[in-house]
Amino acid sequence: PQLERRRLAVRIATGRRVFQPVWQGLHRLALSGMNFGGSDFVAESGELWVIDRIGSLRGGQPQIVFDVGANVGDYASQVLERFESGVRIFAFEPSRRSFEHLSARLEGKDGVQLFEEVVPLYSTGAASPLASVYDRPLDHVGLSMTEREDVRITRLDDFCHEEGIAHIDLLKLDVEGHELKALQGAAGLIEAGGIDFIQFEFGGANIDSRTYFRDFFELLHERFNLYRILGDGLAPIERYEEALEIFVTVNYLAESKALPQRLA
């Protein structure tokens, strides 16, 4: 009888107009609890936990980290701090003004190489973390992509070939909707098992680039285990379902399935 009463209550509340504010509030709460729309700060988003995990798994061995979309260097600075030594960071930032900040902060640091990535780049202002190759309509959040500059980009496969890099320990991508294109430009490395970890952002910018989580899943799931990054850990994604298409910003981690064998 108690179970039947619960089922009746659910049927009464489900799909009813009067209860929509409740369901919408619970939906927002659930997204927040799953780390969607979380902090932009590396220290609070769960990205530090990932850096520490990778450092622990690698046992202090030399690391090669690609920070693609480095902005003003917050992430690269944390990598330097956490790994302390034996790390090489290749930091890429297409925005000229963000690159100026990045250079002032990291140029001359041991193990750090900076690259200024010609396509149109749109932004909301100087050193904007929302700078994107897509002219995003952001009126709904009170922003406008009022600035444009021309930037130069290159495929990761081509860059690594020119630099003689056959293996990347961590590829971090935060390029405001261009993440899938960046991964497609690293198809050779991915097929060759040349990347251990890939961290990529997914959210509202993917609406503008017309890319879906399914695209990432289909590209990566055969060679990588996929996870949603939490504040203190990882939530595994074992199969694709349409409910994963949530266009609220969050970071994902792809971990090579060959990693245990490589580290053995």
Side-chain angles (χ1 to χ4, degrees):
Q2 186 176 4
L3 179 59
E4 287 299 321
R5 285 196 295 270
R6 289 178 181 174
R7 289 174 176 170
L8 178 60
V10 169
R11 286 199 299 271
I12 292 172
T14 300
R16 306 290 180 170
R17 183 176 62 185
V18 67
F19 292 113
Q20 291 312 294
V22 175
W23 293 124
Q24 290 166 5
L26 289 172
H27 178 62
R28 294 189 186 99
L29 180 63
L31 289 176
S32 177
M34 295 166 68
N35 212 32
F36 287 93
S39 173
D40 292 331
F41 298 105
V42 176
E44 299 173 6
S45 64
E47 293 173 274
L48 281 188
W49 189 93
V50 171
I51 294 171
D52 289 341
R53 170 180 168 79
I54 293 171
S56 175
L57 288 173
R58 298 291 295 171
Q61 297 178 34
Q63 310 275 326
I64 293 181
V65 177
F66 274 45
D67 184 359
V68 183
N71 194 241
V72 298
D74 290 342
Y75 186 87
S77 296
Q78 289 290 348
V79 170
L80 283 174
E81 182 180 323
R82 312 299 274 203
F83 287 167
E84 296 182 356
S85 61
V87 62
R88 292 178 65 196
I89 299 178
F90 295 81
F92 301 82
E93 176 49 49
S95 169
R96 176 176 48 82
R97 279 184 277 188
S98 293
F99 188 81
E100 289 171 356
H101 288 280
L102 179 67
S103 298
R105 188 173 185 179
L106 295 179
E107 197 165 32
K109 295 274 189 180
D110 289 341
V112 178
Q113 293 178 251
L114 307 178
F115 300 89
E116 190 175 12
E117 298 273 270
V118 176
V119 298
L121 183 75
Y122 306 91
S123 69
T124 57
S128 170
L130 298 176
S132 174
V133 295
Y134 304 98
D135 188 5
R136 304 179 60 198
L138 296 175
D139 296 346
H140 61 288
V141 291
L143 297 172
S144 179
M145 298 295 235
T146 56
E147 298 199 15
R148 169 182 166 161
E149 60 180 300
D150 288 333
V151 300
R152 182 173 57 256
I153 59 175
T154 187
R155 295 171 70 250
L156 281 170
D157 279 343
D158 294 339
F159 177 87
C160 289
H161 177 73
E162 292 169 3
E163 296 290 325
I165 298 170
H167 184 268
I168 298 172
D169 294 286
L170 169 60
L171 169 60
K172 171 261 187 184
L173 297 169
D174 183 358
V175 285
E176 299 301 315
H178 208 58
E179 287 81 4
L180 183 65
K181 289 291 187 183
L183 286 174
Q184 290 169 340
L189 281 163
I190 290 173
E191 291 174 8
I195 307 176
D196 286 345
F197 296 92
I198 301 171
Q199 179 184 307
F200 63 94
E201 186 180 81
F202 186 87
N206 296 90
I207 297 173
D208 303 289
S209 65
R210 304 298 193 268
T211 52
Y212 301 91
F213 187 80
R214 182 176 63 184
D215 298 318
F216 292 89
F217 188 87
E218 290 179 348
L219 178 65
L220 297 171
H221 82 277
E222 289 186 2
R223 294 179 176 86
F224 294 86
N225 294 313
L226 293 172
Y227 305 90
R228 188 177 68 256
I229 297 175
L230 306 175
D232 59 353
L234 302 170
I237 301 169
E238 297 176 353
R239 63 184 180 88
Y240 174 79
E241 54 183 307
E242 292 176 357
L244 293 168
E245 303 293 355
I246 300 174
F247 295 97
V248 181
T249 301
V250 73
N251 282 291
Y252 292 93
L253 182 70
E255 182 179 306
S256 172
K257 292 180 179 179
L259 190 62
Q261 181 179 359
R262 185 177 295 129
L263 296 178

